Amino acid sequence: MEEQRVKINTEYIKLDALLKFAGAVGTGGEAKLAIQNGEVRVNGEPCAMRGRKMYPGDRAELSGLTLVVE
């Protein structure tokens, strides 16, 4: 499983924006569908909330890619 660290300059980033910003998906629509279809896990648990706030230390997983928020 590939791990990618994503540095943010704000207090948090929303899950759908994180997936798009990191390049895990091409568009916000793709992020929405992946989240709705249960393809995304946050901190090891399935997550269906695309507006979920991701803080430094949180992890999101999609298709073998792990994104770590810094």
Side-chain angles (χ1 to χ4, degrees), residues 1 13-14 17 19 21-22 25 27-28 31-32 42 44 48-53 55-58 63 67 69:
M1 183 173 279
I13 186 170
K14 290 186 179 178
L19 296 175
F21 179 70
V25 296
T27 66
K32 178 181 175 180
V42 173
M49 300 182 317
R50 75 176 205 228
R52 162 92 187 245
K53 294 177 181 177
Y55 294 92
D58 284 341
S63 302
L67 302 172
V69 180

Side-chain angles (χ1 to χ4, degrees), residues 5 8-11 13 22 25 31-32 34-35 44 59 67 70:
R5 298 195 170 276
I8 61 172
N9 296 318
T10 57
E11 182 182 356
I13 186 170
V25 296
K32 178 181 175 180
I35 295 166
R59 304 168 76 85
L67 302 172
E70 291 187 333

Side-chain angles (χ1 to χ4, degrees), residues 23-62:
V25 296
T27 66
E30 287 179 25
K32 178 181 175 180
L33 285 175
I35 295 166
Q36 285 179 340
N37 291 336
E39 300 171 28
V40 179
R41 297 175 70 84
V42 173
N43 298 326
E45 300 291 325
C47 182
M49 300 182 317
R50 75 176 205 228
R52 162 92 187 245
K53 294 177 181 177
M54 302 290 292
Y55 294 92
D58 284 341
R59 304 168 76 85
E61 300 171 20
L62 173 65

